[in-house]
Amino acid sequence: MYSFNYVKPKSLAEVGEFLNANPDARPLAGGMTLIPTLKARLAQPSHLVDIGGLDELKGIEVKNNALQIGAGTRHVEVARSPKVREAIPALADLANHIGDPAVRNCGTIGGSVANNDPAADYPAGVLGLGATIVTNKREIGADDFFQGMFTTALEPGELIVRVSFPLPKRAAYQKFAHPASRYAMCGVFVAETGNGVRVAVTGAGPGVYRWSEAEAALGKNMSADALAGLATSPDGMNEDIHGTREYRANLVNVMTKRAVNKLLGR
Ligand SMILES: Cc1cc2nc3c(=O)[nH]c(=O)nc-3n(C[C@H](O)[C@H](O)[C@H](O)COP(=O)(O)OP(=O)(O)OC[C@H]3O[C@@H](n4cnc5c(N)ncnc54)[C@H](O)[C@@H]3O)c2cc1C
């Protein structure tokens, strides 16, 4: 049987103190990933620290030319938020295509980003937009945050408080969803930012990554035609019962072209 204790601190400070004092405790947000992980006996935390009711982790606001989304904000709230739809419609679109209604009504942006599933959607949006992950201890740029499959720069006991997305000029996300789970077989986020074009790919490789050749080509010419000469190597791509390496490598090109066309309104 499972053996853990359940606690529900009343403030962010209390959560931080508890996690520091109990290194084997784990925060519980929407539970969409953590509960199945416990059921499969893949994690054995000493305590589940319920952060679901903390107001300090909620909220969406546009401030200092950035869209700030509290870590406890559920996918459905991002998808429906007029503020997100106006500031970064591509992010609302991304959230609207995560899983199914049950997943979107429970799962949170903080849980998704902390988990860094190699087929999750938010990591592509966070990396593609060059967002900053604000924790209870520091700020971490997206380029330093994602460190491969289920691995991030978060230290034990460190809690994501919010994610801050600089407003892009234009952006779009396109994914080829697994027909059962809706996780990305391949998802590509393309953003035209003040610092150039960023292209982030999820689902195809062992973790989210930037496709620098596509960024350079699109920086010169924001058009699907600019990608014509680029080929993604199947080396290092994911391979499983759902698709071969070659299939996923091809999907990277196809989804990037579709994302660019979407960004251009075509
Ligand atoms: C059937 C199904 C389909 C899905 N389809 C998709 C999909 O299409 N695309 C997609 O992107 N995702 C998908 N998901 C995953 C879903 O988006 C989850 O919401 C997400 O992976 C985890 O979020 P959560 O809030 O449920 O986190 P939890 O399950 O509560 O936690 C996940 C992990 O993050 C940690 N954590 C949680 N919050 C924080 C925080 N603030 N700071 C630090 N650590 C934290 C927890 O300790 C745990 O280790 C799917 C899940 C299911 C069950």
Side-chain angles (χ1 to χ4, degrees), residues 26-36 51 57 71-72 75 97-100 103 106-115 117 119-123 154 158-161 175 180-184:
R26 293 273 285 276
L28 173 70
M32 287 291 97
T33 295
L34 188 50
I35 299 297
I51 57 172
L57 299 181
H75 308 328
H97 289 92
I98 293 175
D100 52 36
V103 170
C106 293
T108 65
I109 186 170
S112 177
V113 172
N115 194 49
D117 188 301
D121 297 295
Y122 266 127
L154 287 176
E158 191 170 11
L159 199 72
I160 300 176
V161 176
K175 83 165 158 176
S181 70
R182 313 312 294 171
Y183 272 107

Side-chain angles (χ1 to χ4, degrees), residues 45 48 78 91 94 100 108 133 139 148 176 202 205 231 238 244 252:
L48 289 187
V78 174
L91 203 59
L94 177 152
D100 52 36
T108 65
I133 291 88
E139 297 191 356
F176 189 87
T202 188
N238 296 336
T244 61
V252 174

Side-chain angles (χ1 to χ4, degrees), residues 237-257:
M237 291 279 139
N238 296 336
E239 181 160 76
D240 53 28
I241 55 167
H242 310 301
T244 61
R245 291 188 180 85
E246 290 74 16
Y247 185 70
R248 282 200 166 80
N250 186 54
L251 274 181
V252 174
N253 286 49
V254 175
M255 289 305 114
T256 308
K257 284 179 189 161

